[in-house]
Amino acid sequence: MFKGIKNGWELVIESIKIFIHYPKFLVPLVISWLIYAPTLLYLKYFFNGDAYSSLQLFLIIFGIIFIFAFILSFSCSVLLELIQQFESHQKMRLAKAFVDTLAHNTTRILPIVFVWTIIWFILLIIEALLSKAKNRGKESFNAENAAKTLAGDKEFSLSGAFVRALEKGIRMVVFLILPAIAWENLSFIQAVKKGIAVFRANLVAFATGFMLTEFAGVIILLPLALLFYISDTMKVMFADWVWIAVIIYTAFAWSYSIYLEQMFAAHLYLWHLKWEKEAKRAQEEGRRIPAITDVPKPSLLDKVGGLLDK
């Protein structure tokens, strides 16, 4: 168990180090946020839900969640293609990663996106039913309200925290499935089986990564939480430029949080691939199959590569 915790910690630290050396990995996720943010603001401040029937609202919300899940999956697939370029000793080219994802991965990630959308939609309904937030009516659209909406400024509740933890857990499992498509060209069913196998074989490391990426997200958003506390509790009025700065900060904070989750999952998957090769070699040579903890963790920073060569 302690080895699993240590391994999870080291994988998260490795993800942070990689970002410091190669901030380019964040670009696909920032682009994803630039689509997500305006859509969220439109839904909250300009969308007229009363003009639609219950069934129409159901389909609209489901469709929007599907779009969010697809955009996020597509962006993470681009990130994984960048990792493959790096591992294969190629120059990292964002345009090529985008084209490769569009040409080779899109159709195979669609079933994953659809299943993820269903789960996400159900959890969203559960969260809404459990929410005790007061109905404040239609809020006006301004820089402050937009900043707080995008930063997820919500009243804390145990039920809401539990549901959001489930959402994060499902998301990180999806992030374990995507490398099987981007790197090994597996079908939907094969990718799901492979991702679940990696998850089950590394439960402690996965749980550690879950907790540490959540902690990192809290630390990243702490300055915003303090600002919101001052604004709401002390009734301090800030200029619009402050809230615009908050929106820009939120874009990078959100993107970096998702980056940590996907990069952690990618490293865990990459390590599992390395173990599979070592296990196959040991079996062919009649040696004892090593445990995954006996296999040195791969690192993108060592520039050895080769694990993802096709």
Side-chain angles (χ1 to χ4, degrees):
M1 179 177 178
F2 291 109
K3 273 189 175 182
I5 294 174
K6 179 176 179 289
N7 291 328
W9 166 263
E10 290 175 350
L11 290 174
V12 172
I13 295 300
E14 179 76 4
S15 301
I16 295 173
K17 290 179 179 178
I18 289 171
F19 171 75
I20 293 172
H21 284 80
Y22 305 101
K24 181 184 291 188
F25 283 126
L26 202 65
V27 173
L29 296 171
V30 173
I31 294 173
S32 176
W33 189 88
L34 292 175
I35 300 172
Y36 164 80
T39 305
L40 183 61
L41 293 178
Y42 172 79
L43 287 174
K44 181 162 185 178
Y45 296 103
F46 303 104
F47 178 72
N48 182 17
D50 296 333
Y52 301 91
S53 66
S54 298
L55 178 59
Q56 288 173 326
L57 282 175
F58 175 93
L59 294 174
I60 289 171
I61 294 172
F62 188 88
I64 290 170
I65 294 174
F66 179 87
I67 292 172
F68 284 169
F70 174 77
I71 292 171
L72 192 52
S73 299
F74 188 92
S75 299
C76 288
S77 180
V78 173
L79 171 62
L80 293 170
E81 290 292 342
L82 286 173
I83 293 174
Q84 180 161 294
Q85 291 174 12
F86 189 88
E87 268 286 301
S88 303
H89 305 292
Q90 302 174 30
K91 182 179 179 180
M92 286 192 295
R93 291 184 294 168
L94 189 60
K96 183 178 185 302
F98 180 89
V99 170
D100 286 345
T101 293
L102 192 63
H104 306 298
N105 303 341
T106 301
T107 55
R108 283 176 292 131
I109 68 175
L110 283 175
I112 297 173
V113 170
F114 185 73
V115 173
W116 186 13
T117 300
I118 294 174
I119 299 173
W120 193 346
F121 183 75
I122 292 172
L123 291 176
L124 192 65
I125 292 175
I126 293 173
E127 185 177 4
L129 292 174
L130 295 176
S131 175
K132 296 181 180 179
K134 296 179 182 179
N135 183 11
R136 302 173 182 174
K138 195 77 171 180
E139 295 179 350
S140 60
F141 177 75
N142 54 48
E144 178 180 353
N145 287 338
K148 291 180 177 180
T149 296
L150 295 175
D153 183 28
K154 298 179 180 178
E155 294 182 6
F156 176 81
S157 69
L158 288 176
S159 58
F162 176 73
V163 173
R164 285 190 289 275
L166 286 177
E167 291 174 347
K168 176 184 172 75
I170 296 298
R171 182 171 65 245
M172 289 186 67
V173 170
V174 171
F175 290 169
L176 269 179
I177 295 172
L178 291 176
I181 290 176
W183 293 345
E184 298 192 87
N185 296 318
L186 299 183
S187 66
F188 164 64
I189 298 297
Q190 291 172 327
V192 170
K193 289 181 177 179
K194 184 65 174 286
I196 296 299
V198 175
F199 167 74
R200 294 178 63 184
N202 302 277
L203 278 173
V204 177
F206 181 90
T208 303
F210 178 98
M211 296 300 296
L212 290 175
T213 54
E214 183 67 16
F215 178 73
V218 170
I219 295 299
I220 292 168
L221 293 175
L222 186 58
L224 301 186
L226 292 174
L227 183 68
F228 296 157
Y229 177 81
I230 294 172
S231 172
D232 296 337
T233 305
M234 301 181 181
K235 306 301 179 182
V236 176
M237 301 293 293
F238 292 100
D240 282 352
W241 70 264
V242 174
W243 297 115
I244 292 172
V246 167
I247 292 174
I248 296 172
Y249 182 89
T250 301
F252 288 97
W254 181 90
S255 301
Y256 186 71
S257 296
I258 297 295
Y259 158 83
L260 277 182
E261 293 178 11
Q262 178 59 86
M263 188 61 80
F264 168 81
H267 268 104
L268 191 58
Y269 194 97
L270 202 62
W271 190 20
H272 194 87
L273 284 182
K274 187 175 182 180
W275 170 78
E276 283 183 336
K277 291 188 176 184
E278 293 293 335
K280 183 179 179 181
R281 187 179 298 114
Q283 191 174 33
E284 291 173 348
E285 296 174 357
R287 296 184 286 108
R288 178 185 66 86
I289 296 178
I292 191 169
T293 51
D294 296 328
V295 178
K297 287 182 286 295
S299 172
L300 296 182
L301 296 177
D302 60 18
K303 299 185 179 180
V304 174
L307 278 174
L308 298 179
D309 288 341
K310 293 183 179 179

